[in-house]
Amino acid sequence: MYCGSRESNNPRFPELAQQAGREIARRNWGVVYGGGKVGMMGKLADAALESWR
């Protein structure tokens, strides 16, 4: 998965990133990423982690 490390100007994109993260977790897939906990990638990764707990 690749997402930008910045926040989006479009308010819908953060929610879409979180939905993708939750869906990844629901399917029991892993997320591999090299960025920090920032931007869209951070939102996706955080949502996936929260869904696995």
Side-chain angles (χ1 to χ4, degrees):
M1 179 64 63
Y2 176 81
C3 295
S5 61
R6 292 185 354 179
E7 293 290 331
S8 172
N9 290 332
N10 185 327
R12 226 181 102 115
F13 287 174
E15 177 56 32
L16 292 172
Q18 291 170 328
Q19 285 177 7
R22 289 189 292 268
E23 183 62 19
I24 287 168
R26 187 188 73 76
R27 293 176 184 223
N28 203 30
W29 295 349
V31 176
V32 176
Y33 70 106
K37 292 183 58 159
V38 297
M40 305 306 290
M41 191 68 239
K43 292 203 179 295
L44 184 142
D46 287 344
L49 285 171
E50 289 171 12
S51 295
W52 274 317
R53 293 181 187 156

